[in-house]
Amino acid sequence: MRHGCKINHLSRTHAHRVAMLSNMATSLILEKRIETTLAKAKALRVYVEPLINRSKEDTTNNRRVVFSYLHSKEAVNELFREISQKIANRPGGYTRILKTGIRHGDNSAMAIIELVDYNENMLKPIAEKKAKSTRRSRAKKAENAETPAVEAPAVEEAPKAE
């Protein structure tokens, strides 16, 4: 029984789980957004957020610790050079999980996990919406009634022959 176990083992051995999370964290850092199952996304968030937090302070020890988790020089350099600059004043919550529905093959819940500061669509300021007029408004009917419509010339009827 799982009394009090906080970690999701994802039905994998320890070595497989660590390798998978390391690869997914590397992909997330390099690509800024990945699509995976909801359970893996939640496990990845717990794995990658402490690494991102360590990148705020660029020291040799922090680089070595992060490299021991990621095993990728490119990912470590990306994390400490670009990502750490964007998240410098953010107190936490570096990732966002967006649910995308289910996978048709096995009905598992799918999600997109992304770095928060790299989604340009959500960072755009919201444009003010103009007043929306409905088609059922009586004001338009009143305006149309005031302006006379151009009438077609009347057609005279011919007298009926008896």
Side-chain angles (χ1 to χ4, degrees), residues 11-63:
S11 299
R12 287 163 171 81
T13 62
H14 179 266
H16 186 186
R17 187 172 58 252
V18 168
M20 181 191 66
L21 290 173
S22 174
N23 290 334
M24 289 175 65
T26 301
S27 297
L28 179 64
I29 289 169
L30 294 177
E31 302 294 327
K32 311 300 188 263
R33 158 188 278 207
I34 59 174
E35 184 176 2
T36 183
T37 62
L38 184 61
K40 286 180 189 175
K42 288 179 178 180
L44 180 61
R45 177 173 43 188
V46 173
Y47 186 86
V48 79
E49 290 215 1
L51 302 180
I52 296 173
N53 200 23
R54 274 197 180 265
S55 73
K56 286 183 175 182
E57 186 180 350
D58 190 4
T59 63
T60 305
N61 185 52
N62 283 348
R63 281 183 175 262

Side-chain angles (χ1 to χ4, degrees), residues 8-125:
N8 186 352
H9 296 291
L10 300 172
S11 299
R12 287 163 171 81
T13 62
H14 179 266
H16 186 186
R17 187 172 58 252
V18 168
M20 181 191 66
L21 290 173
S22 174
N23 290 334
M24 289 175 65
T26 301
S27 297
L28 179 64
I29 289 169
L30 294 177
E31 302 294 327
K32 311 300 188 263
R33 158 188 278 207
I34 59 174
E35 184 176 2
T36 183
T37 62
L38 184 61
K40 286 180 189 175
K42 288 179 178 180
L44 180 61
R45 177 173 43 188
V46 173
Y47 186 86
V48 79
E49 290 215 1
L51 302 180
I52 296 173
N53 200 23
R54 274 197 180 265
S55 73
K56 286 183 175 182
E57 186 180 350
D58 190 4
T59 63
T60 305
N61 185 52
N62 283 348
R63 281 183 175 262
R64 286 179 177 165
V65 169
V66 170
F67 183 77
S68 71
Y69 281 90
L70 296 180
H71 306 293
S72 170
K73 284 184 184 179
E74 295 84 17
V76 172
N77 287 334
E78 177 84 13
L79 181 62
F80 278 89
R81 288 186 183 151
E82 293 181 20
I83 296 174
S84 65
Q85 301 299 322
K86 281 203 168 190
I87 56 111
N89 52 7
R90 181 179 286 276
Y94 311 111
T95 58
R96 176 185 298 126
I97 296 176
L98 303 169
K99 297 178 185 177
T100 58
I102 60 168
R103 184 165 52 195
H104 292 295
D106 59 355
N107 205 30
S108 62
M110 297 298 289
I112 292 175
I113 183 168
E114 64 184 6
L115 297 177
V116 171
D117 294 323
Y118 284 90
N119 189 343
E120 281 74 25
N121 293 332
M122 290 192 170
L123 293 177
K124 287 182 190 174

Side-chain angles (χ1 to χ4, degrees), residues 151-159:
E151 295 180 10
V155 178
E156 295 181 19
E157 294 182 19

